[in-house]
Structure formats: structure tokens, C-alpha cells
Amino acid sequence: MNSESEPLFVQVARFVEDLIVDGSLQPGAQAPSTNQLAQFHEINPATARKGLSLLVDADVLHKRRGLGMFVNEGARERIIQLRRDVFAGEFIAPLIDEAVRLGYSRTDLHDLIDRVAESRGMYQ
């Protein structure tokens, strides 16, 4: 797990969401089990279960009794929309706040963002 600011069960949910967004888990595919997630992340199975429950509540996964959790149709689009809805507040606002503290001008910040985006292959 990688973020000290998020509870572990939220990190588990985000991990599964990432698998869906990047295409590793397609609609209808079985999600990793509670035990698989707990073992992989070295956490309590109850914590992993709570993370999966978040995704059930968000209509990203559904339970098949005795079989496990499966990805719903439209899950990728739902996740992307939810993440876009909070993107500015979670990422852009803190970035701007720090840029102001560091004395970046608007132009300098735009140039920096363009350079980083290009280095990550965004403009290719």
C-alpha cells in the first residue's frame, strides 16, 4: 500500500479500480478475492473485504454468491467519471497552492506541466 493519508481499505478499492481503468479487469471478469488482496497487500482480510464493499456500493463490482466479486458493465466509465469529478480538488488545487508558495508564475507552471507531461509521453 502506498498512501499514508488514505485508509488501507480505500487503498484496496483504488487498487482494484486501477486494474479496471487500465483494462486488466474487463466487465464480467472476476475481481481478486478478499484473501488474495489481503495476502498481496499483507493486510487483514476484513480490511480487504471493506475495500471491495466500497466498490459494490459504487456499482463497480457485484457479488455472485459462492463465486466471488465480478466487474459490472460500465464500471470503467463510472470510475473515470468519479475520479474526474474530484480531480481538480484533490490534485490541481494542492499543486497550485504549492506553486504559489514556491513563487512559480502562471507561465512557469504551465511550462513545467508541459515538460513533465511530455516526459511521460502525453504529447506524443
Side-chain angles (χ1 to χ4, degrees):
M1 310 290 0
N2 56 6
S3 174
E4 310 83 42
S5 63
E6 286 185 325
L8 289 174
F9 70 93
V10 173
Q11 293 179 51
V12 167
R14 185 163 302 265
F15 173 79
V16 176
E17 285 180 348
D18 288 346
L19 294 174
I20 294 167
V21 170
D22 75 16
S24 297
L25 285 177
Q26 295 289 319
Q30 186 170 11
S33 71
T34 297
N35 290 334
Q36 289 169 328
L37 289 167
Q39 184 177 17
F40 180 78
H41 295 291
E42 298 178 343
I43 59 174
N44 187 304
T47 302
R49 187 175 310 109
K50 191 171 180 181
L52 291 174
S53 292
L54 286 178
L55 298 178
V56 170
D57 293 344
D59 199 30
V60 169
L61 299 178
H62 64 276
K63 299 176 188 178
R64 291 188 191 160
R65 189 170 183 88
L67 297 176
M69 302 274 193
F70 292 82
V71 179
N72 286 336
E73 290 293 329
R76 182 176 188 276
E77 294 76 14
R78 268 190 292 291
I79 294 165
I80 289 172
Q81 188 58 55
L82 288 170
R83 288 184 178 188
R84 284 183 175 197
D85 290 346
V86 300
F87 184 77
E90 287 188 8
F91 296 98
I92 303 300
L95 173 102
I96 300 285
D97 292 343
E98 185 66 9
V100 168
R101 281 190 288 275
L102 297 174
Y104 278 100
S105 70
R106 185 179 187 145
T107 301
D108 291 340
L109 183 58
H110 282 257
D111 290 343
L112 179 60
I113 289 170
D114 285 342
R115 285 196 313 268
V116 171
E118 189 173 324
S119 76
R120 300 287 175 106
M122 188 172 187
Y123 297 138
Q124 295 178 354

